[in-house]
Amino acid sequence: MKVDLVFEGGGVKGIAFVGAVCCLEDNNYKIGRCAGTSAGAVVAALLAVGYTGRELKDIMLNTDYSKYLSKKSKARLPLIDSFCSINEKLRRLYSLVAKKGLYSNDMVEEILTTLLQKKGKLKFKDVYKNGESNLKIIASDITKRDMLILPEGLKYYGIDPLEFEIAKAVKMSTAIPFCFEPVKLKHKNGVNYIVDGGLVSNFPIWIFDVKGIPRWPTFGFDLVSDEKSYTAMGKKDLVSFSLDTIGTMINRKEYIYVNDKDAVRSIKIPTLGVKSTDFNIEKEKVLKLYNQGYKSTENFLKAWNFNDYLRKFRT
């Protein structure tokens, strides 16, 4: 059966999505359109250009996630580089104040561009079919204080959606506020600042819905976290408070506030206490997240029946 997939945001925890995709393929599901926010946008983009679950597993196991926070990506302060004892703190402060983020998000764009080139699909025009993009990515325009759905939303900025680079769109969606620098979207009327899509819709399971009866289902992948907040661990400083505030906005479970038809098609995946920004994650935990994604999807499929879903929620 064909199925559309929607992936929630969740940073490093998104590793679990790869196990979920492999399980679907093992159960003869054919993946159609894909959408995602933040880490979910990465997986959605790779699937949309033709990567299989097994290929994603190979990429996942050979990725050094600490590269995303490498010193190379931090803003530089040449005037104080010689003062080693204070250099790191000053550089971080400079990055946060001047660049609006502790780290550059360039590494995400660079790595994804390399992967997309291997499939020969770099722009949204390469994933268009029947006049519609098979890939949709959610980002947040903090200048307009609104959601940005890529690629279609780009037309409101006077930008051709077909010619926009997929890797740039993913970079926008993964720009966690204050952790990564926002992406500057330049257009004829000025510049807009774009950040993590989780601020406006971390779980856009509604994005492929149609009026009437759908021809095939949409599955959403929801990361269920049991991690403790920084303030719950007794950390009451300003940075910890700010991180918890951001985490609350990004990780809120928006499907709770909508109809049961969304919850019943959502595959809930425990994330084993892994935090979104655990970029130093060990390979052992990477495999555990993968297995959680596979097992959770396998259990979901045992109870799922598309005809029952249609009868209860769409007729």
Side-chain angles (χ1 to χ4, degrees), residues 78-137:
L79 294 179
I80 64 168
D81 275 350
S82 60
F83 300 98
C84 297
S85 62
I86 61 173
N87 186 30
E88 184 66 16
K89 290 183 178 179
L90 286 176
R91 184 183 290 121
R92 284 173 176 260
L93 179 61
Y94 173 77
S95 297
L96 188 58
V97 174
K99 301 291 186 178
K100 312 297 188 299
L102 292 174
Y103 298 91
S104 164
N105 207 17
D106 292 342
M107 193 65 69
V108 170
E109 185 176 13
E110 292 173 13
I111 293 174
L112 197 60
T113 296
T114 300
L115 292 172
L116 296 177
Q117 284 176 333
K118 292 180 179 180
K119 296 295 184 180
K121 298 179 180 180
L122 292 171
K123 298 182 178 181
F124 278 99
K125 66 181 180 182
D126 299 320
V127 293
Y128 259 72
K129 186 176 181 180
N130 299 323
E132 182 183 9
S133 176
N134 280 341
L135 171 65
K136 295 185 186 296
I137 293 173

Side-chain angles (χ1 to χ4, degrees), residues 129-176:
K129 186 176 181 180
N130 299 323
E132 182 183 9
S133 176
N134 280 341
L135 171 65
K136 295 185 186 296
I137 293 173
I138 303 295
S140 303
D141 184 339
I142 61 173
T143 302
K144 293 174 61 177
R145 297 181 180 178
D146 200 0
M147 182 187 304
L148 171 57
I149 301 178
L150 297 134
E152 289 83 0
L154 291 166
K155 63 185 179 182
Y156 299 111
Y157 300 82
I159 298 173
D160 185 355
L162 294 174
E163 294 297 327
F164 202 78
E165 295 179 350
I166 295 172
K168 178 73 72 176
V170 174
K171 179 182 179 181
M172 293 175 172
S173 186
T174 57
I176 300 173

